């Protein structure tokens, strides 16, 4: 099979070479070279030293040059006018050889066809002083006649049909070449696929798979397609140029630079497409290889029992990194592709420069600005390092204060942490103020405007927040309550669950959290039941109204007995009763009982009221709440029968 492949490649190479050589060989139908028609004297005339004079051009060939001005015409205008007169001769139906002549005058030798003046040769047009003006004019005339008749011969119907036939042969050769390339490409792809199917696995090194076999096959197929496309484009380029040169009507148009630019543009486009396909295949293969390697050799990143990065997370990070890198590479390749493509054409060269400047200037400015900013950056780094270690020193002092290594009179332990936070915030703010002048653009009007705008926004929009922060600091050092205390703030009774610089959070006995801004807390009355119970036991009080017919001593004893039956009510100090009002129809008694469980106030009150009802019912004393009169008018007693 490899021998068959070798023979096929050899045959294809010979075919390509023969085709390209046949296309590049000069055609016999081309016009005769003007230089070969000139004798040695004519060669002297055309070989003007130092490119002196203005060339007379006909059909992209320079015939001769004129030097001096005449009348109102400059040398360049004379050369252009002679070229126009020669072009007019090509449009005549019939040309007579004897109608060309040279006539002499005192100052010039005139070359004409019949009555049409073609060229005026002046004495100042002579480059070689050994050749007379008349001889120069005759040589010019000989060149003109040969060029005109050669052009007429090449534009004859016979020559045109000959050129068409020759072009058809070249076009047929080009089609055959494309057919051979297509067959070779298909055969090579099939052969590579068969070889890939026979081979097990990909390309590996020391157990690590460098490239999967499918990726290699895909890249190889793309490269074969590129070679096929490149050969086709080169063959088409030479074919087009050869056919273009066969016909005199098109030969005068110089399309070689344009075709070269278009060819380069096509090659660049093909290279871009190939780069995208190869890059896509490579990236897909790379992702597959990395995933397999991670599955085989990586178990994640762990710190003791805490998994910092799992295997799935690492695969996702690597996939995202590869994908983002691919996008950046694609954008860069497309950008530079457009830059090079625009540079190939005269009309778009300015676009290329502008596109290149869009990248070069910002990069240059960025590098220059970064280098200039390095001293300030070093200063900022020093300030940050000094601030960091200064905060660590302050933290060490507060830790020693918390451990009891030294004490400040009147400074409570619960103030250590908030005080440290405040001091740390002040240090950081001072460091930011010192760093601010070293920031890039700190002196610019834009940066100043932004800072002013932020200051105005903070002034108008954060007044309440600042007042809450100040109130939070004041409450911290006033120490009216701690986390866990049972308090009453405004109409809210509950336990403190959180206190910050901005808010205080309370959980009520209904298990509802209430958030109160610190400014409201500071301006309200604060009742701390837990603090009272720490110093002295908390007194719970409730009142009942009893008629005048019940002896007050019995009522006092019943209330004290009910308090003694209630859980979490202290027996020492003993409960006591106060008669707080003698109303029109009843006496109001107030029971005061001590407790050291302020967080159970609701339960204690409920149990106390139940015990009061039980004691009074058992003693047969009627509770006059709500308002009952002692005078009976037939109503039944409020005391239950059982």
């Amino acid at each position: 099979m490899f021998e068959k492949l070798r023979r096929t490649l050899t045959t294809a190479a010979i075919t390509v070479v023969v085709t390209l050589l046949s296309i590049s060989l000069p055609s016999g139908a081309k016009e005769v070279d003007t230089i070969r028609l000139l004798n040695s004297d004519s060669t002297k005339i055309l070989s003007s030293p130092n490119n002196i004079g203005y060339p007379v051009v006909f059909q992209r060939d320079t015939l001769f040059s004129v030097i001096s001005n005449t009348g109102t015409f400059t040398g360049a205008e004379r050369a252009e006018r002679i070229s126009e007169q020669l072009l007019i001769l090509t449009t005549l139906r019939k040309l007579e050889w004897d109608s060309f002549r040279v006539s002499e005058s005192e100052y010039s030798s005139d070359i004409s066809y019949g009555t049409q003046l073609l060229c005026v040769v002046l004495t100042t047009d002579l480059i070689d002083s050994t050749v007379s003006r008349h001889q120069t004019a005759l040589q010019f005339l000989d060149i003109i006649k040969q060029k005109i008749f050669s052009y007429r011969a090449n534009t004859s119907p016979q020559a045109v049909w000959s050129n068409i036939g020759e072009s058809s042969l070249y076009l047929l050769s080009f089609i055959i070449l494309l057919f051979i390339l297509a067959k070779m490409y298909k055969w090579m792809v099939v052969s590579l696929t068969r070889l890939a199917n026979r081979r097990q696995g990909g390309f590996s090194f020391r157990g690590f798979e460098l490239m999967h076999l499918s990726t290699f096959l895909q890249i190889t197929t793309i490269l074969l397609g590129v070679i096929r496309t490149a050969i086709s484009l080169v063959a088409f380029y030479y074919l087009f140029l050869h056919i273009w040169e066969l016909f005199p009507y098109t030969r005068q148009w110089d399309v070689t630079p344009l075709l070269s630019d278009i060819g380069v543009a096509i090659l660049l486009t093909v290279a871009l497409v190939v780069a995208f396909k190869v890059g896509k295949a490579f990236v897909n293969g790379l992702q597959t290889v990395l995933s397999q390697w991670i599955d085989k050799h990586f178990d994640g990143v762990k710190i003791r029992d805490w998994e910092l990065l799992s295997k799935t997370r690492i695969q996702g990070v690597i996939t995202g990194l590869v994908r983002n890198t691919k996008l950046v590479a694609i954008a860069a390749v497309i950008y530079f592709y457009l830059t090079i493509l625009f540079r190939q054409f005269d009309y778009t060269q300015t676009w290329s420069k502008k596109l290149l400047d869009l990248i070069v200037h910002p990069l240059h400015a960025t590098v220059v600005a970064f280098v200039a900013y390095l001293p300030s950056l070093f200063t900022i780094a020093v300030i940050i390092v000094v601030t960091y270690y200064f905060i660590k020193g302050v933290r060490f002092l507060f830790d020693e204060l918390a451990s009891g290594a030294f004490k400040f009179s009147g400074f409570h332990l619960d103030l250590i942490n908030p005080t440290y936070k405040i001091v740390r915030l002040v240090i950081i703010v001072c460091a930011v103020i010192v760093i601010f002048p070293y920031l890039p653009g700190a002196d610019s009007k834009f940066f100043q405007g932004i800072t002013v705008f932020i200051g105005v926004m903070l002034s108008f929009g954060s007044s309440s927040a600042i007042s809450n922060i100040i109130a939070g600091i004041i409450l911290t050092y006033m120490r009216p309550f701690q986390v866990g205390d049972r308090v009453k703030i405004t109409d809210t009774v509950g336990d403190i669950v959180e206190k910050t610089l901005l808010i205080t959070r309370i959980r009520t006995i209904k298990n509802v959290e209430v958030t109160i801004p610190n400014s409201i807390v500071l301006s309200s009355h604060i009742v701390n039941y837990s603090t009272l119970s720490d110093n002295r036991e908390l007194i719970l009080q409730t009142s009942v109204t009893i008629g005048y017919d019940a002896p007050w001593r019995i009522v006092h004893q019943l209330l004290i007995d009910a308090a003694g039956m209630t859980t979490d009510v202290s027996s020492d100090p003993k409960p006591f009763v106060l008669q707080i009002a003698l109303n029109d129809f009843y006496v109001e008694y107030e029971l005061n009982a001590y407790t050291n469980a302020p967080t159970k106030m609701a339960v204690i009150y409920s149990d106390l009221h139940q015990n009061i009802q039980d004691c009074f019912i058992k003693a047969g004393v009627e509770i006059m709440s709500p308002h009952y009169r002692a005078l009976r008018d037939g109503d039944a007693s409020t005391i239950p029968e059982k």
Side-chain angles (χ1 to χ4, degrees):
M1 183 178 64
F2 289 102
E3 182 64 24
K4 183 180 178 181
L5 175 61
R6 186 186 64 80
R7 289 198 302 268
T8 304
L9 292 176
T10 305
T11 305
I14 293 174
T15 304
V16 172
V17 171
V18 170
T19 304
L20 295 179
L21 288 177
S22 63
I23 292 176
S24 60
L25 286 176
S27 173
K30 286 188 178 180
E31 63 185 79
V32 182
D33 193 355
T34 305
I35 300 300
R36 294 183 179 179
L37 297 176
L38 302 180
N39 54 22
S40 59
D41 294 333
S42 301
T43 305
K44 292 181 180 179
I45 296 173
L46 292 178
S47 303
S48 59
N50 300 326
N51 296 324
I52 299 174
Y54 303 94
V56 176
V57 180
F58 179 76
Q59 295 294 313
R60 290 168 49 190
D61 286 339
T62 299
L63 306 183
F64 49 84
S65 298
V66 294
I67 299 176
S68 60
N69 304 331
T70 175
T72 59
F73 294 99
T74 63
E77 292 173 344
R78 286 180 60 199
E80 183 178 359
R81 186 174 180 81
I82 294 171
S83 300
E84 293 175 355
Q85 294 298 323
L86 297 180
L87 189 60
I88 293 173
L89 287 181
T90 61
T91 61
L92 297 179
R93 245 182 113 106
K94 186 177 180 182
L95 285 177
E96 297 292 340
W97 186 274
D98 296 335
S99 297
F100 290 95
R101 66 177 181 274
V102 176
S103 57
E104 294 291 334
S105 64
E106 181 179 358
Y107 300 104
S108 64
S109 299
D110 301 332
I111 303 173
S112 59
Y113 176 79
T115 60
Q116 180 182 354
L117 181 63
L118 300 179
C119 177
V120 175
V121 181
L122 302 176
T123 305
T124 53
D125 290 329
L126 302 179
I127 298 175
D128 190 355
S129 59
T130 61
V131 181
S132 65
R133 187 180 68 191
H134 182 71
Q135 290 177 341
T136 302
L138 290 176
Q139 293 170 356
F140 283 0
L141 177 59
D142 183 56
I143 294 172
I144 291 173
K145 288 165 65 176
Q146 295 291 343
K147 189 65 178 178
I148 295 297
F149 281 101
S150 175
Y151 176 80
R152 298 278 290 191
N154 292 328
T155 56
S156 64
Q158 296 82 1
V160 172
W161 283 110
S162 175
N163 293 336
I164 292 175
E166 188 176 355
S167 300
S168 300
L169 291 177
Y170 291 143
L171 184 60
L172 180 61
S173 301
F174 178 71
I175 294 174
I176 294 174
L177 176 63
L178 294 182
F179 178 77
I180 293 174
L181 289 176
K183 289 295 183 180
M184 290 180 58
Y185 173 76
K186 183 177 180 181
W187 178 81
M188 289 181 180
V189 171
V190 172
S191 300
L192 286 173
T193 305
R194 291 175 180 173
L195 288 175
N197 293 332
R198 294 177 184 176
R199 181 184 177 91
Q200 299 295 330
F203 298 94
S204 59
F205 177 74
R206 293 184 178 179
F208 177 70
E209 190 176 22
L210 298 176
M211 181 179 295
H212 197 268
L213 190 59
S214 59
T215 304
F216 173 76
L217 181 60
Q218 186 177 3
I219 294 176
T220 307
T221 304
I222 293 172
L223 293 179
L224 289 176
V226 171
I227 296 173
R228 171 190 171 187
T229 304
I231 294 175
S232 301
L233 289 175
V234 171
F236 177 77
Y237 174 76
Y238 283 105
L239 173 69
F240 183 83
L241 283 183
H242 189 75
I243 295 177
W244 194 267
E245 289 290 335
L246 285 177
F247 300 94
Y249 305 104
T250 58
R251 191 184 306 125
Q252 58 183 339
W253 301 337
D254 188 9
V255 296
T256 303
L258 180 61
L259 286 179
S260 300
D261 294 339
I262 294 175
V264 173
I266 293 174
L267 290 177
L268 286 175
T269 305
V270 171
L272 178 67
V273 174
V274 171
F276 281 164
K277 291 186 177 181
V278 173
K280 182 179 179 181
F282 177 75
V283 169
N284 293 335
L286 180 63
Q287 288 180 344
T288 303
V289 170
L290 288 176
S291 299
Q292 294 175 354
W293 183 82
I294 291 174
D295 288 335
K296 186 176 181 181
H297 299 90
F298 205 78
D299 295 330
V301 178
K302 293 183 178 180
I303 299 178
R304 294 184 179 179
D305 296 333
W306 180 54
E307 189 176 30
L308 182 62
L309 287 176
S310 63
K311 182 185 296 185
T312 305
R313 182 61 178 169
I314 293 175
Q315 289 179 345
V317 170
I318 292 178
T319 302
L321 181 62
V322 172
R323 181 173 60 251
N324 294 331
T325 305
K326 181 179 71 175
L327 293 177
V328 173
I330 288 174
V333 169
I334 292 177
Y335 182 85
F336 287 106
Y337 160 76
L338 293 176
T339 302
I340 299 173
L341 181 64
F342 289 153
R343 186 177 295 179
Q344 299 301 317
F345 302 95
D346 295 336
Y347 303 102
T348 58
Q349 285 184 354
T350 55
W351 301 355
S352 174
K353 187 176 183 305
K354 289 181 180 179
L355 281 176
L356 196 60
D357 290 343
L358 289 176
I359 292 294
V360 173
H361 287 175
L363 287 177
H364 179 265
T366 302
V367 172
V368 171
F370 178 76
V371 172
Y373 185 67
L374 286 178
S376 299
L377 185 63
F378 179 76
T379 303
I380 292 175
V382 171
I383 294 174
I384 292 175
V385 170
V386 171
T387 303
Y388 172 76
Y389 284 103
F390 187 72
I391 291 176
K392 289 193 69 175
V394 172
R395 180 63 185 178
F396 173 76
L397 293 178
F398 278 94
D399 289 342
E400 292 295 315
L401 186 62
S403 64
F406 57 91
K407 297 181 180 180
F408 290 111
S409 59
F411 191 79
H412 301 276
L413 294 179
D414 58 328
L415 297 178
I416 292 176
N417 191 43
T419 304
Y420 165 71
K421 293 181 178 179
I422 294 173
V423 173
R424 184 182 62 183
L425 178 63
V426 172
I427 294 173
I428 293 174
V429 169
C430 293
V432 170
I433 294 174
V434 175
I435 289 174
F436 182 80
Y438 295 98
L439 295 177
D443 298 333
S444 64
K445 298 295 183 182
F446 174 78
F447 205 101
Q448 294 175 359
I450 290 295
T451 53
V452 171
F453 176 76
I454 294 175
V456 172
M457 292 295 293
L458 291 176
S459 299
F460 287 99
S462 61
S463 57
S464 59
I466 293 175
S467 63
N468 287 328
I469 292 174
I470 295 175
I473 295 174
I474 294 174
L475 289 173
T476 298
Y477 289 95
M478 284 176 56
R479 303 179 68 248
F481 49 77
Q482 301 296 325
V483 175
D485 288 354
R486 172 64 61 88
V487 297
K488 179 180 180 182
I489 301 175
T490 62
D491 296 331
T492 304
V493 178
D495 299 327
I496 300 295
V497 295
E498 183 183 6
K499 60 175 184 176
T500 65
L501 290 179
L502 292 174
I503 53 95
T504 298
R505 208 179 304 277
I506 299 176
R507 181 179 290 114
T508 66
I509 59 175
K510 303 297 183 181
N511 208 25
V512 176
E513 287 193 1
V514 180
T515 301
I516 306 175
N518 284 337
S519 58
I520 296 178
V521 175
L522 185 63
S523 60
S524 303
H525 295 289
I526 303 173
V527 179
N528 192 331
Y529 300 106
S530 298
T531 303
L532 293 176
S533 64
D534 290 340
N535 299 331
R536 290 179 298 177
E537 292 188 358
L538 178 65
I539 297 178
L540 303 180
Q541 55 189 18
T542 185
S543 61
V544 295
T545 54
I546 308 298
Y548 284 97
D549 56 340
W552 62 269
R553 292 178 180 84
I554 296 176
V555 173
H556 282 212
Q557 187 61 43
L558 291 175
L559 290 173
I560 292 173
D561 292 342
M565 296 169 57
T566 304
T567 306
D568 293 322
V569 171
S570 301
S571 58
D572 186 21
K574 296 181 179 181
F576 61 93
V577 179
L578 299 176
Q579 294 179 216
I580 58 177
L582 298 175
N583 296 317
D584 294 337
F585 308 106
Y586 51 81
V587 180
E588 185 174 358
Y589 298 90
E590 182 184 74
L591 173 62
N592 296 273
Y594 293 91
T595 182
N596 56 6
T599 57
K600 300 180 180 180
M601 290 173 55
V603 177
I604 295 174
Y605 270 119
S606 177
D607 293 342
L608 181 61
H609 292 157
Q610 293 173 8
N611 293 331
I612 290 175
Q613 285 181 286
D614 291 340
C615 290
F616 274 73
I617 290 172
K618 184 177 181 181
V621 178
E622 188 177 13
I623 299 177
M624 306 300 293
S625 300
H627 305 299
Y628 284 95
R629 296 186 180 184
L631 180 63
R632 300 296 178 185
D633 54 0
D635 293 338
S637 174
T638 59
I639 300 175
E641 295 180 358
K642 296 182 181 179

